[in-house]
Amino acid sequence: MKNLYFDTSKPFDFHWTGKFQAPDKNWIHMTRPLTDFEFVIVTEGDFYIGDGAKTSVVHKGQYRIMTPTENQHGTHPSACSFYWMHFMAPQSKAECAESASFLEIPEQGAVPHPERLIVLLKQLSDCDKKYGNHQLNSYLCTAIILELQSQLKAESELSDLKKNQNEKLHGAKVALYSDVINYINWRIKDDVRVSEIAAYFGYNEKYMTTFFKKASGKSLKQFILERKMEEAKALLSDSTRTVSEIAYSLGFSDNHNFSRAFKKVTGQSPSEYRDSFADRMLYNV
């Protein structure tokens, strides 16, 4: 996949956004000219899309930025769902990379933290519906692409950390830090505890706590809580599950403990956070 280059010295020109849910397994994307950029993040299934002679499959948890083309078309039926956003943005050249306003991003890839992008896309959709302020929408649109680029950059830096074995973490400790993060992401919907993580990797709880704080700058317990709340925000803004159902799905024993933890991290109760979003906007793409 090639990289795209954008100039962010001014906000992108937002056009429209929404979430698409395929009506059945036989749905195929329409054939049409695409006159602007389209950003897509897939939340269920596989999204099959073509651009002239080039075709691609965007899997759940992946994104794709499609460039203007005369022939955007579906290539295979699929019961998928995805968020989408149309915009225009000035493209830069690779040699402009030294500019502070330069943004380089692969046209397709895995999203490290899709729940963060879902919340931002939901906020953009809500602002578009509530205010209709084009300037606000354009800044939010730009922020979404910058959030994605920041996530990808952070993942790349972690990969470089593994290769270079920096002064803070060396060799096996680099791998341990990455493995702990992956384990938390894997068990994020369970009542995962520091003692359990320590035992799983064969260390005592005190060592694991000190190690993670040194590596990340925050306690392991706080990191777990923040990751759970990111998941919670995505579910509150983009599902009809009750607060209790969300609490149990994230490993909390009851609604009260979940609500208290959510307010501690976000400053709002789960209901207040959910009420700040309008009903989801569903459009054809």
Side-chain angles (χ1 to χ4, degrees):
M1 287 291 174
K2 67 179 182 180
N3 285 357
L4 302 176
Y5 305 91
F6 294 110
D7 180 3
T8 58
S9 58
K10 295 181 180 180
F12 297 168
D13 182 21
F14 168 77
H15 291 175
W16 57 326
T17 188
K19 182 178 181 181
F20 177 78
Q21 175 69 58
D24 54 51
K25 64 181 181 180
N26 297 313
W27 176 82
I28 250 183
H29 193 284
M30 71 182 78
T31 298
R32 66 176 179 188
L34 180 65
T35 59
D36 52 10
F37 291 94
E38 183 178 12
F39 168 71
V40 167
I41 177 170
V42 177
T43 54
E44 293 294 338
D46 296 319
F47 175 47
Y48 298 87
I49 194 70
D51 172 9
K54 181 178 64 178
T55 63
S56 63
V57 183
V58 191
H59 303 294
K60 178 180 178 180
Q62 291 188 331
Y63 76 91
R64 175 73 191 275
I65 301 176
M66 288 165 276
T67 56
T69 175
E70 291 296 322
N71 184 24
Q72 184 192 50
H73 61 279
T75 62
H76 194 276
S78 172
C80 60
S81 64
F82 53 85
Y83 279 90
W84 53 268
M85 177 177 73
H86 287 254
F87 64 95
M88 283 300 294
Q91 286 197 271
S92 303
K93 295 182 180 179
E95 55 265 26
C96 300
E98 298 303 318
S99 168
S101 62
F102 173 86
L103 185 152
E104 177 182 2
I105 190 167
E107 65 178 358
Q108 183 172 333
V111 183
H113 301 290
E115 69 283 350
R116 292 180 61 87
L117 287 176
I118 289 171
V119 168
L120 289 174
L121 284 159
K122 189 69 171 65
Q123 182 180 10
L124 172 59
S125 177
D126 181 62
C127 286
D128 185 35
K129 181 178 180 181
K130 186 175 294 183
Y131 307 122
N133 184 319
H134 183 72
Q135 184 180 34
L136 171 62
N137 293 342
S138 293
Y139 275 105
L140 289 172
C141 168
T142 310
I144 287 167
I145 301 301
L146 286 168
E147 165 69 23
L148 174 61
Q149 190 252 1
S150 297
Q151 289 190 25
L152 296 174
K153 182 180 179 182
E155 285 290 299
S156 176
E157 288 174 349
L158 178 59
S159 177
D160 290 341
L161 179 65
K162 291 180 180 180
K163 294 176 182 177
N164 299 330
Q165 299 182 352
N166 73 356
E167 294 179 359
K168 184 181 290 185
L169 298 174
H170 292 275
K173 290 186 177 181
V174 176
L176 175 60
Y177 177 69
S178 178
D179 288 344
V180 169
I181 297 294
N182 290 336
Y183 182 84
I184 292 169
N185 288 333
W186 173 50
R187 296 289 310 282
I188 198 63
K189 295 186 178 180
D190 299 324
D191 183 20
V192 59
R193 298 176 182 271
V194 175
S195 57
E196 174 193 333
I197 296 172
Y200 182 86
F201 289 100
Y203 295 94
N204 64 53
E205 187 173 343
K206 183 178 179 180
Y207 174 85
M208 183 60 72
T209 301
T210 303
F211 163 77
F212 194 87
K213 180 68 178 291
K214 182 179 179 181
S216 69
K218 64 180 63 177
S219 71
L220 185 51
K221 185 176 181 180
Q222 181 65 24
F223 180 83
I224 294 169
L225 180 62
E226 290 177 0
R227 280 290 295 114
K228 283 183 178 290
M229 294 307 104
E230 291 293 343
E231 293 283 341
K233 286 190 286 186
L235 291 170
L236 286 165
S237 64
D238 192 48
S239 80
T240 57
R241 296 188 195 179
T242 66
V243 172
S244 294
E245 288 173 337
I246 291 173
Y248 292 130
S249 75
L250 291 172
F252 287 87
S253 58
D254 58 61
N255 184 31
H256 175 72
N257 286 334
F258 169 70
S259 297
R260 184 173 58 185
F262 189 88
K263 190 163 187 176
K264 179 180 178 181
V265 173
T266 67
Q268 293 179 295
S269 71
S271 296
E272 288 170 339
Y273 184 85
R274 168 170 272 170
D275 289 345
S276 67
F277 292 95
D279 292 336
R280 183 171 61 203
M281 297 169 70
L282 288 173
Y283 295 122
N284 288 329
V285 294

